[in-house]
Amino acid sequence: MDHACRCDVLILHDLGAEKVTEWSLEQLYRLVDARVRNRRELVVTTNLPYDERGFADTPLEQRPVRPNLVERYGSRITERLLHGAVVVRVVGESRRKPVPW
């Protein structure tokens, strides 16, 4: 954890795919809070929208019904994740190949 808090750049890929537990929320808070306080770069990728509104340019009927960052991680963690953030929205079809069953 110390190295993740101190390294120059940390990438958290696919945030929201992990199982959320009290322990994982505590660890994520410690990590994000330490990086924000120490002004360390943090890159986060996720399929989760910020909150229940989704994105402003998404039509209401197409807005996600799945959990969002605030619901999943709480406002305390979400606000730190977005503190000074540049949000880049990537739109398009999934590039993952379907698994042939």
Side-chain angles (χ1 to χ4, degrees), residues 14-17 46-55 58 62-72 89-90:
D14 210 4
L15 188 69
T46 184
N47 288 326
L48 298 177
Y50 168 67
D51 62 16
E52 69 280 352
R53 295 170 296 184
F55 295 97
T58 304
Q62 294 176 7
R63 291 190 183 173
V65 294
R66 63 181 177 262
N68 56 59
L69 286 170
V70 174
E71 288 172 344
R72 189 165 175 92
R89 182 172 179 216
V90 179

Side-chain angles (χ1 to χ4, degrees), residues 1-100:
M1 177 68 96
D2 288 339
H3 180 69
C5 290
R6 290 189 330 258
C7 63
D8 291 336
V9 178
L10 179 69
I11 300 172
L12 298 179
H13 176 64
D14 210 4
L15 188 69
E18 76 288 349
K19 180 179 179 180
V20 174
T21 65
E22 188 175 320
W23 182 86
S24 68
L25 288 174
E26 180 183 319
Q27 299 310 305
L28 181 61
Y29 174 79
R30 284 182 53 212
L31 176 64
V32 173
D33 185 60
R35 296 198 65 80
V36 168
R37 282 187 290 108
N38 294 304
R39 298 181 180 180
R40 298 289 189 200
E41 298 292 328
L42 178 62
V43 177
V44 177
T45 68
T46 184
N47 288 326
L48 298 177
Y50 168 67
D51 62 16
E52 69 280 352
R53 295 170 296 184
F55 295 97
D57 62 343
T58 304
L60 189 58
E61 63 277 0
Q62 294 176 7
R63 291 190 183 173
V65 294
R66 63 181 177 262
N68 56 59
L69 286 170
V70 174
E71 288 172 344
R72 189 165 175 92
Y73 301 109
S75 58
R76 196 171 109 174
I77 291 174
T78 302
E79 287 170 7
R80 281 167 178 78
L81 284 170
L82 294 173
H83 177 77
V86 175
V87 176
V88 178
R89 182 172 179 216
V90 179
V91 179
E93 296 294 318
S94 174
R95 296 187 64 161
R96 293 185 179 123
K97 295 179 182 177
V99 177

